[in-house]
Amino acid sequence: MRARAATRSTGRNRGWLWLAPAVLVAALLFGTAVGETRIPLATVIEVLAVKAGLGSAALDPIDASVIWHYRLSRAVVAACGGASLALSGLILQALLRNPLAEPYLLGISAGASTGAVTVAVAGIGAGLLSMSAGAFAGALTAFALVAALARAAGGGTGMRGAGVIILAGIAGSQMFNALTALIIAQSASAEQARGIMFWLLGNLSGVRWPDSWVAVPMAALALGVGLWHARTLDAFAFGAESAASLGIDLRRTQALLIGTASLATAIMVSIAGAIGFVGLVVPHAMRILVGPRHARLVPATALAGAVFLVLSDVVSRIVIPGQVLPIGVITALVGAPAFAVVMIRGRQR
Amino acid sequence: MTPILEAVGASHAVRGREILSDISLRLHPGETLGLIGPNGSGKSTLMGLMAGLLRPSRGEIRLEGRPMARLGRRQIARRLALVAQSAETAERITVRDAVELGRTPWLGPLRPWGAQDDDAVAAALDAVDMAHMAGRDWASLSGGERQRVHIARAHAQAPRILLLDEPTNHLDIHHQIAILDLVARLSVTTVIALHDLHHALRCERVMVLRAGRCVALGPPMEILTPALIREIFAVEAEIIPHPRGGRPVFAFQRLA
Ligand SMILES: Nc1ncnc2c1ncn2[C@@H]1O[C@H](COP(=O)(O)OP(=O)(O)OP(=O)(O)O)[C@@H](O)[C@H]1O
Ligand SMILES: [Mg+2]
């Protein structure tokens, strides 16, 4: 009995932990193998093996370039972005005690877009890092604004509070999207504007290896912070006050965790635009699969988020032949119904 | 002897309005203090102050002689546990999950779950007679069962001070007495907000609050007189001595 309890508390079924890298590799391989131009799986594996230094063979330079520079980099960034966004959602849901909390719905993504676009249009420093910084500033501003609005409107915890903060998030999203549109209309050239609009919908087309130098550390950071704070996140089950009485330093924790969630969102927005609903769908699915304990929920959410976004990206490339849909369209098509389900289940409680 | 928990002229204000004024109190190690007062008299607010969750607008709270404001949350949580008046969750956690939360202040990323944590949880579940329901979903529990789980969670926290805000709420008479017996058995210092004056008689001292002020503080048999009950609750009461020397019984006649 004691032994059983012990395994339970330290993480039952460690087996899937070993499965996780395998699933991730399979998803990446799948994401790399599927595309507009048909390339046999054998060729894909051969290219990857050679590039990884596991042998040498004569490669078709075009195939090799497509596979290595376009598809694999894109799959890797999709995986990291999916993990980051899903973890952001998980963290926000736990801290705000709100099943609908998610960077996109809370307006954090919209704020990040405004920040990134401002930097891009103004041409400050140009490049991914300065755009990320702008996006981060925008994300934090948006969260602060939405939280203040929700508080002023009397939102607390519970389903009513959940509704209030989502309403505040919608208001914030609308405002920041309008601001973004204004900035584009004011200062971007027609060509710039078209590019920005496409990117805003959530798009991985422009992704290359340099993006992964930011995306990979970000995903690792989000996962690390999440794992380190797994018990802290658990302690919020009965609300912030209860967490405080269990020894959680609310201010420090909220600043660190919400900061991480905002940064993860900001980085992803500056790479690929606002991709919605990943942070909603994935954590809820994982709660059903592995239960409410964050020691298991955090790694499961990271993995599932990664796989989900890689697969969404694949779907976005093949669903209409000869045309690439913005990935945000795919995640929204899955996410909006999931949102409805969560909302209906929340009401029934 | 330094009091284990002390309030020195503590007040609490919300938007400029004082809802608790000038509370001074010295709790001795091991004692049980009952908090009595009408709805809205400030019992929960005082609990929040003593738990370090609310800041006094004036005065100070001291834990083991040290100002609460200078202690970290974790330090406080290792010494003091609070069972709030109501705390709910929408997470699909089990009874055991909820009780395990009590170990949070003792755990960290570098101090993983261990055998002593299992023991603490098992003892806490036993203490409130919930061990047989350890695997049940929170959502499936009755109100009284939830209350018992909250108390078990606080017990698992292994505190020296236990703050219980109306812990006998929702409990049947058996479990009301069981909780009070448990509190008496534990060697922890306890502050317990109560509405049942009969239960208050079991405390070593009671503090009576009205409109945020302390009206009386002392042993219950001296404090809880018909005059005070009329003054505080506007109810005419008679105190009937127990025929065989047990605790007296309150007979509430009518509104005053
Ligand atoms: N955050 C707050 N904002 C405004 N008023 C508050 C706040 N917290 C408490 N109050 C008010 O302060 C008074 C004391 O509240 P408190 O919850 O301490 O009462 P209580 O004695 O615990 O009552 P009950 O027996 O109903 O639990 C009440 O009138 C309440 O409305
Ligand atoms: Mg109260």
Side-chain angles (χ1 to χ4, degrees), chain B residues 2-228:
Chain B
T2 42
I4 188 165
L5 188 64
E6 187 180 13
V8 190
S11 304
H12 184 68
V14 179
R15 280 177 236 105
R17 193 172 64 92
E18 253 185 25
I19 53 179
L20 203 67
S21 306
D22 272 327
I23 303 293
S24 289
L25 169 70
R26 296 160 68 87
L27 273 181
H28 310 300
E31 93 166 308
T32 300
L33 175 85
L35 276 185
I36 299 283
N39 293 138
S41 57
K43 301 182 295 295
S44 299
T45 308
L46 180 55
M47 290 269 178
L49 280 182
M50 290 195 291
L53 297 175
L54 300 174
R55 290 258 153 130
S57 51
R58 285 187 295 128
E60 192 173 63
I61 307 288
R62 295 192 197 127
L63 180 57
E64 294 175 347
R66 289 190 285 171
M68 189 75 91
R70 262 189 262 145
L71 294 171
R73 277 288 1 145
R74 207 172 160 83
Q75 284 176 296
I76 297 172
R78 287 183 173 188
R79 289 169 177 79
L80 182 152
L82 168 72
V83 174
Q85 196 165 356
S86 61
E88 275 306 321
T89 185
E91 299 284 347
R92 306 195 54 126
I93 62 173
T94 63
V95 166
R96 184 186 296 280
D97 289 329
V99 177
E100 285 180 0
L101 289 179
R103 301 305 297 163
T104 306
W106 303 97
L107 300 169
L110 305 177
R111 158 65 177 84
W113 188 271
Q116 72 269 45
D117 301 303
D118 276 324
D119 292 344
V121 169
L125 282 167
D126 272 334
V128 298
D129 191 18
M130 285 295 286
H132 61 290
M133 294 198 199
R136 283 274 294 275
D137 272 342
W138 177 265
S140 74
L141 298 181
S142 76
E145 288 160 355
R146 289 178 194 194
Q147 192 66 23
R148 279 149 66 195
V149 175
H150 278 310
I151 293 164
R153 195 253 308 135
H155 185 295
Q157 216 171 318
R160 287 176 220 164
I161 304 164
L162 199 51
L163 305 180
L164 305 170
D165 198 348
E166 299 185 26
T168 51
N169 243 353
H170 302 298
L171 297 193
D172 63 52
I173 188 71
H174 175 93
H175 286 106
Q176 288 183 24
I177 293 172
I179 292 301
L180 294 170
D181 283 349
L182 170 67
V183 169
R185 212 163 53 236
L186 296 172
S187 58
V188 295
T189 313
T190 309
V191 181
I192 179 166
L194 290 167
H195 280 304
D196 189 328
L197 299 184
H198 295 107
H199 292 337
L201 290 176
R202 302 177 46 138
C203 301
E204 273 135 33
R205 289 196 294 165
V206 294
M207 177 185 257
V208 182
L209 289 174
R210 186 184 52 186
R213 292 187 174 273
C214 170
V215 181
L217 173 64
M221 296 293 277
E222 293 171 22
I223 298 271
L224 299 175
T225 59
L228 179 116

Side-chain angles (χ1 to χ4, degrees), chain A residues 157-207:
Chain A
T157 49
M159 211 52 202
R160 202 185 85 82
V164 169
I165 198 161
I166 296 305
L167 286 179
I170 291 169
S173 287
Q174 293 298 329
M175 198 196 79
F176 280 102
N177 286 339
L179 216 58
T180 307
L182 191 71
I183 293 169
I184 294 172
Q186 274 286 313
S187 20
S189 65
E191 168 124 12
Q192 247 183 331
R194 238 177 57 89
I196 291 173
M197 289 317 262
F198 196 63
W199 162 81
L200 276 181
L201 281 171
N203 194 304
L204 286 165
S205 307
V207 165

